[in-house]
Amino acid sequence: MFKELHNEGYLKFYLKTMSPLSIKAADNNDFDPTVPDNKFLRSYKDGKLTVVMPGSSIKGVFRSRAEKKLKGCDIFGSEYCGKKLSSSMDGKERYKESCPACKMFGNTALKSRILFKDAYPIGEVKMGKRKNVAIDRITGASKRNALFEPEVVEDGTFECEIKMENVFNWQIKVLTEILDEIDDGYVVFGGITSRGFGRMAVQNVQFTMRYYDRKNISGYDDYGFYIERKFDREMLREKLSKLALDDECFGKVEFDETL
């Protein structure tokens, strides 16, 4: 938990499948011939079992892309921020000494500012199975007796929500740029992506920004305890278009800006 809450952001959008989506469940029954080789992950929503894109998977995709854009630290190397930060540092010091990606998504010594909810489908979902064959990495040919048939979402729309706490404008810009890169096909979800699976389209983007320590800002509604404003996708792009992703913005630690 943060000692002080300066702002909150709520980014909501839909992810519409543009190609088959495969997210493998962990409890596949390999001994039941009637069950697909790789069942799609399911969870309960409003008392009903349904397919789901887990928030942890969505966060992993966003973080991976952000690390490439921002040149984040190597989480498996000696320069990983979580290893370098000392427990004797206060929160601001740990934040300041972290790489830009860790400043957004956290590490073992720093809380994440970006929280991802599980994404459940809206309306009907069309399921299917796709036959695939494993490839021998040495010969490049198909392996014998290596046919597998994963269960996929052929057509469906998932409702996604990202909550932000104590975020800076540059962090919001990174998220919006990743949304654009999802539309462009540079960011994909799930498994078997090398065969074209996991393409998604972003729809119905809505962003709400709330400040707890600001007053009398043009365009914001005053609710007494906080002020709030809603943005659509184009408004966000316009607001953030002139913001450069550079060391100056990455080094910010004081909340002296508004969107």
Side-chain angles (χ1 to χ4, degrees):
M1 295 290 293
F2 295 108
K3 291 183 178 179
E4 296 180 4
L5 184 61
H6 297 276
N7 62 52
E8 288 181 309
Y10 298 89
L11 180 62
K12 297 182 178 181
F13 56 95
Y14 296 162
L15 284 177
K16 171 75 172 64
T17 55
M18 302 301 290
S19 68
L21 175 67
S22 172
I23 300 179
K24 182 181 177 181
D27 59 346
N28 283 302
N29 186 352
D30 296 331
F31 300 102
D32 186 348
T34 66
V35 174
D37 297 320
N38 296 324
K39 289 192 302 181
F40 200 99
L41 181 65
R42 286 172 169 78
S43 181
Y44 282 94
K45 177 75 162 60
D46 299 328
K48 296 182 180 180
L49 190 63
T50 183
V51 294
V52 61
M53 295 179 66
S56 57
S57 295
I58 301 173
K59 179 180 179 179
V61 170
F62 271 72
R63 175 160 191 156
S64 176
R65 188 65 184 181
E67 287 175 345
K68 293 175 182 177
K69 293 169 64 67
L70 305 175
K71 298 180 180 179
C73 64
D74 179 7
I75 63 173
F76 300 108
S78 60
E79 294 302 309
Y80 171 51
C81 293
K83 293 181 179 179
K84 296 190 299 180
L85 302 180
S86 168
S87 58
S88 62
M89 295 177 174
D90 63 22
K92 280 189 177 181
E93 288 178 304
R94 291 197 298 271
Y95 177 83
K96 190 173 183 179
E97 294 301 318
S98 294
C99 73
C102 284
K103 286 177 178 177
M104 292 183 63
F105 299 97
N107 53 48
T108 54
L110 188 71
K111 183 184 185 296
S112 173
R113 294 168 187 250
I114 318 292
L115 311 174
F116 292 77
K117 291 184 64 175
D118 293 344
Y120 291 93
I122 302 170
E124 295 296 322
V125 175
K126 182 179 179 182
M127 304 300 295
K129 300 176 185 178
R130 291 296 182 98
K131 286 184 171 61
N132 287 271
V133 63
I135 301 299
D136 189 307
R137 294 185 178 182
I138 297 177
T139 66
S142 60
K143 290 184 180 180
R144 295 186 60 186
N145 303 319
L147 183 69
F148 63 101
E149 193 175 47
E151 183 183 34
V152 300
V153 172
E154 297 279 7
D155 185 51
T157 300
F158 293 81
E159 186 175 23
C160 305
E161 182 177 338
I162 303 174
K163 181 183 177 183
M164 311 168 205
E165 295 179 348
N166 288 354
V167 290
F168 293 98
N169 288 347
W170 70 267
Q171 295 167 339
I172 300 171
K173 180 169 184 174
V174 170
L175 294 179
T176 59
E177 286 188 352
I178 292 175
L179 294 184
D180 291 338
E181 289 162 358
I182 293 171
D183 277 337
D184 293 337
Y186 295 112
V187 179
V188 291
F189 295 82
I192 326 179
T193 55
S194 62
R195 304 183 189 187
F197 286 24
R199 282 285 309 271
M200 310 287 278
V202 178
Q203 301 176 343
N204 196 33
V205 176
Q206 301 175 43
F207 182 69
T208 302
M209 193 66 195
R210 180 181 294 178
Y211 292 100
Y212 293 95
D213 56 358
R214 299 283 190 275
K215 291 292 180 182
N216 302 320
I217 300 176
S218 176
Y220 281 77
D221 296 322
D222 191 339
Y223 291 92
F225 185 53
Y226 59 85
I227 60 172
E228 183 178 281
R229 183 178 180 182
K230 298 184 184 300
F231 300 83
D232 61 24
R233 196 172 187 178
E234 290 305 317
M235 291 170 64
L236 268 182
R237 284 181 177 141
E238 181 180 352
K239 279 284 185 179
L240 299 168
S241 61
K242 296 181 180 180
L243 179 62
L245 297 177
D246 55 23
D247 291 340
E248 181 179 353
C249 68
F250 297 154
K252 271 184 164 294
V253 293
E254 300 297 335
F255 294 95
D256 56 358
E257 62 183 15
T258 54
L259 185 62

